[in-house]
Amino acid sequence: MAYGNARITEGSAVPLLQRLAKIYLGPKAVFPPPSMLNIPGFITRIAPDRFTGVGPWAAKSAE
């Protein structure tokens, strides 16, 4: 689980997705599909404060 603050921005999702597609899918990637280019979308930016869970990173609880 992640704890922190999030900021949601309306719009600008398509340019961000196009930039990330070139990085993760390849330089000739076309994403999102043309039928979705007119949808403004949302961008969520998360600034984590702390993480919890099960694994070597988790502090052992006092029993």
Side-chain angles (χ1 to χ4, degrees):
M1 183 173 292
Y3 294 87
N5 293 307
R7 185 178 74 214
I8 300 173
T9 306
E10 186 173 0
S12 302
V14 170
L16 176 62
L17 288 171
Q18 289 174 337
R19 191 180 82 205
L20 293 174
K22 303 274 187 255
I23 295 168
Y24 293 106
L25 301 176
K28 295 182 182 180
V30 177
F31 189 84
S35 62
M36 298 181 72
L37 293 178
N38 294 336
I39 301 171
F42 295 88
I43 297 175
T44 303
R45 291 180 174 90
I46 302 170
D49 290 328
R50 67 183 172 102
F51 297 96
T52 63
V54 178
W57 60 88
K60 297 195 187 260
S61 62
E63 293 183 25

